[in-house]
Amino acid sequence: MKLYPIETGNFKLDGGAMFGVVPKTIWNRTNPADENNLIDIAARCLLIEDGNRLILIDNGMGNKQSDKFFGYYSLWGTHSLDNSLAKQGFHRDDITDVFLTHLHFDHCGGSVQWNKDKTGYEVAFKNAKYWTNENHWEWATKPNPREKASFLSENIIPIQESGQLNFIKIPDGDFAEKTELGFGVFFVNGHTEKMMIPHIKYQDKTIVFCADLLATAGHIPIPYVMGYDTRPLLTMPEKAKILNTAADNNYYLFLEHDAHNQIVTVEQTEKGVRLAAVLSCDEIFK
């Protein structure tokens, strides 16, 4: 097995929204805001090369939205999905599986693109199976008012229409030790219904793809919960379970949204779980 970080692009989000009730005087120390109160955000995805399978976990915002839409998110930097894949020697047509942690636009927007004539949409990974889970699909295709702006039909429905939609089986508990794609998945419900957190066994390490359960290294304290979460009081015990397990077992936490820290480890302290080390993907994915 080989692992590759796939940087699909950087953007900015409101720092207050990203940290909920945590005061700016505190979160600004770890995630400094600009003059518009915006903080740096990444859309860092993960590519798994495992035998004949090439599995992409999440795929960023994509590029089919309007300039007005992207203007809300202050895009910055030079990263793109195609360039990042090419850097590792791959093309999107090589992808065999696209695993979507959840269907918010900044995680699945790259799943679908304009067709050649820009008269409609087509899947962006023509040879891939797309994976979500049935509960989350139902949640996303019949969105509540809180999340409606994050579940964009043009990112979602073409996957079903293509015939490439597949569902990960939901376990009786909250953890599936081995899914259809070979890695484990922790199912959480605080951010959105049945978001999936992959646990990947790599050499002698466990890599946890944190998605929106742990947005940045600055979110490690348990009460530091995003304002975007639909059930913040549920996010906290879910975070606590992951972070305590990670601290006790030296898991490597892959951060999808931290523009400046790729991977972190955590440790137990008298104040609870806290940051232990910041690492690069190059250090871990040797």
Side-chain angles (χ1 to χ4, degrees):
M1 178 188 287
K2 294 182 180 179
L3 302 180
Y4 311 91
I6 301 298
E7 302 278 0
T8 68
N10 295 326
F11 57 106
K12 290 178 179 284
L13 289 174
D14 184 87
M18 285 297 292
F19 281 89
V21 299
V22 180
K24 182 179 180 180
T25 52
I26 295 177
W27 60 252
N28 200 56
R29 300 170 194 165
T30 57
N31 298 73
D34 66 14
E35 65 277 7
N36 295 314
N37 211 48
L38 302 177
I39 64 173
D40 292 347
I41 299 291
R44 180 179 303 111
C45 305
L46 183 63
L47 186 65
I48 304 172
E49 185 180 12
D50 190 11
N52 294 325
R53 283 186 126 158
L54 201 58
I55 305 165
L56 180 63
I57 301 179
D58 285 352
N59 50 52
M61 286 191 186
N63 56 17
K64 65 184 176 299
Q65 304 301 327
S66 67
D67 290 342
K68 180 179 180 181
F69 177 91
F70 287 127
Y72 295 134
Y73 300 101
S74 302
L75 305 188
W76 60 278
T78 59
H79 293 309
S80 73
L81 173 62
D82 287 320
N83 288 343
S84 193
L85 286 172
K87 181 181 177 180
Q88 306 299 346
F90 300 110
H91 185 273
R92 63 175 63 215
D93 292 350
D94 299 325
I95 304 299
T96 62
D97 299 270
V98 176
F99 179 93
L100 300 168
T101 60
H102 60 301
L103 295 168
H104 287 168
F105 68 84
D106 54 322
H107 294 257
C108 76
S111 299
V112 175
Q113 62 188 7
W114 286 106
N115 62 19
K116 185 176 181 180
D117 301 324
K118 286 200 169 184
T119 57
Y121 302 111
E122 63 184 14
V123 290
F125 303 93
K126 65 181 183 180
N127 298 317
K129 294 181 178 180
Y130 285 75
W131 297 90
T132 179
N133 66 76
E134 198 164 2
N135 286 30
H136 184 66
W137 181 265
E138 180 77 7
W139 185 269
T141 54
K142 299 176 183 177
N144 60 74
R146 174 77 176 271
E147 290 181 277
K148 191 173 182 179
S150 293
F151 291 129
L152 307 180
S153 62
E154 61 266 33
N155 289 336
I156 300 172
I157 301 305
I159 300 173
Q160 183 181 48
E161 293 174 343
S162 74
Q164 294 166 241
L165 176 65
N166 294 266
F167 293 133
I168 296 289
K169 184 179 179 182
I170 299 172
D172 292 334
D174 57 17
F175 187 73
E177 189 169 344
K178 190 173 183 180
T179 64
E180 292 85 340
L181 294 178
F183 50 75
V185 168
F186 182 46
F187 289 79
V188 295
N189 299 288
H191 180 62
T192 187
E193 179 73 11
K194 289 292 182 290
M195 181 171 69
M196 298 187 288
I197 307 298
H199 285 53
I200 300 147
K201 298 294 184 182
Y202 173 71
Q203 298 177 359
D204 59 344
K205 307 175 182 71
T206 296
I207 312 296
V208 179
F209 187 95
C210 291
D212 281 345
L213 184 62
L214 183 68
T216 74
H219 285 83
I220 290 172
I222 301 303
Y224 290 24
V225 173
M226 293 190 295
Y228 299 111
D229 288 9
T230 59
R231 307 177 182 109
L233 293 179
L234 189 53
T235 297
M236 288 190 283
E238 291 171 342
K239 270 181 68 179
K241 186 172 184 177
I242 282 280
L243 291 178
N244 280 294
T245 303
D248 294 342
N249 294 279
N250 195 34
Y251 288 174
Y252 294 86
L253 306 178
F254 183 98
L255 301 178
E256 185 168 12
H257 281 321
D258 194 320
H260 306 292
N261 304 293
Q262 295 181 322
I263 294 174
V264 298
T265 58
V266 292
E267 62 185 356
Q268 302 285 359
T269 75
E270 60 183 16
K271 294 183 178 180
V273 177
R274 291 294 185 269
L275 178 69
V278 175
L279 303 148
S280 71
C281 291
D282 287 344
E283 291 176 87
I284 304 303
F285 302 162
K286 294 178 181 178

